[in-house]
Amino acid sequence: MRFKKRRPLFTRVRTVGANRGSADCDTLQTVGGLSLLPVRRLFFGGLIATPLMLGAAWGARQANDVEAIHILEAARDELPGHYLLEYYFGLLASRLGREQEAILALEKAAQLEPNSPDPFYELGKLYGAQQNWPQARQALEHVIELNPKSSPAHYQLSRVYAHLGLNSRAEQEARQTHTLVDAQRDQALRKQRERAASFQPETPATLSHLP
């Protein structure tokens, strides 16, 4: 039986539009055999250690979550304390049932970017899964402070309030969820109608410029 040769995790690349060894340069790269577009990145001694290495990992997760999280682990070692690496590691760890690792990574992401609602939302769900309702409440209320129109956050918070026995607040959040979902659906339908109205099919007159 012949085995496929495993692709290297890090790929040496040629820098584009910058001096080799520059701390900030445009690069073309592959990570784990997955191609990324030219992006501005950190460059370390000929090896790419980029926060958007997670882009490759996040794409790879569709085929193999375990392989994807290994890519992220390597990226975190190369570039510790980066918000996106911590956030996406937390998401994948949660998918793999590694809840405590997910919580630690997402808490770090929340510390790094306290104005981003995403890690707080994921933390709220994880705390809720652990029946840690006070912390789930705190995280989800913060999400709504940052993004009042987040219907998923209102829905999750309604469930948390119900578990805490705050029935009137739970009902209020449930109503707000329905209101936001209806508004988002109406907006999507309106945009769809606008696109349909502005569509101009090709006619012999409009095609007259073609050879």
Side-chain angles (χ1 to χ4, degrees):
M1 180 182 296
R2 298 183 63 185
F3 294 93
K4 280 187 173 181
K5 184 178 179 181
R6 187 177 183 81
R7 290 172 175 170
L9 180 61
F10 299 96
T11 304
R12 291 182 178 273
V13 297
R14 177 177 60 84
T15 58
V16 179
N19 293 328
R20 186 175 180 83
S22 169
D24 188 13
C25 63
D26 286 321
T27 63
L28 289 170
Q29 68 181 80
T30 62
V31 181
L34 298 174
S35 296
L36 299 181
L37 295 174
V39 285
R40 293 188 69 79
R41 291 293 155 253
L42 296 175
F43 195 81
F44 297 99
L47 282 178
I48 295 305
T50 164
L52 288 189
M53 185 183 298
L54 60 90
W58 196 240
R61 74 169 175 82
Q62 298 181 24
N64 190 328
D65 283 350
V66 175
E67 182 176 348
I69 205 167
H70 287 333
I71 297 174
L72 284 174
E73 285 170 338
R76 291 169 84 211
D77 290 341
E78 291 289 340
L79 192 62
H82 192 282
Y83 163 71
L84 289 176
L85 289 175
E86 298 298 332
Y87 173 67
Y88 281 108
F89 180 87
L91 289 185
L92 273 178
S94 177
R95 283 174 56 92
L96 292 168
R98 295 158 56 172
E99 287 188 358
Q100 198 54 40
E101 289 180 82
I103 286 173
L104 291 174
L106 290 167
E107 285 177 342
K108 189 168 184 179
Q111 291 171 2
L112 291 165
E113 290 288 345
N115 292 323
S116 174
D118 298 329
F120 292 98
Y121 176 72
E122 298 300 331
L123 281 169
K125 291 196 298 181
L126 282 168
Y127 291 143
Q130 294 183 339
Q131 299 186 5
N132 187 342
W133 306 119
Q135 280 194 277
R137 173 184 177 178
Q138 183 179 0
L140 293 167
E141 285 179 344
H142 188 59
V143 174
I144 291 171
E145 288 175 8
L146 295 171
N147 183 11
K149 293 184 178 181
S150 173
S151 54
H154 283 285
Y155 169 72
Q156 293 293 336
L157 188 57
S158 71
R159 298 178 67 248
V160 170
Y161 282 153
H163 282 287
L164 290 169
L166 303 172
N167 294 329
S168 62
R169 290 195 177 186
E171 292 172 3
Q172 180 181 352
E173 291 299 324
R175 286 195 298 271
Q176 184 66 8
T177 301
H178 288 298
T179 299
L180 289 169
V181 168
D182 289 343
Q184 291 162 0
R185 182 195 60 211
D186 292 343
Q187 183 180 20
L189 288 172
R190 185 167 57 253
K191 288 183 177 179
Q192 186 176 10
R193 286 194 294 268
E194 289 172 357
R195 287 195 298 269
S198 64
F199 175 70
Q200 296 292 333
E202 297 288 359
T203 65
T206 61
L207 294 173
S208 60
H209 64 284
L210 296 178

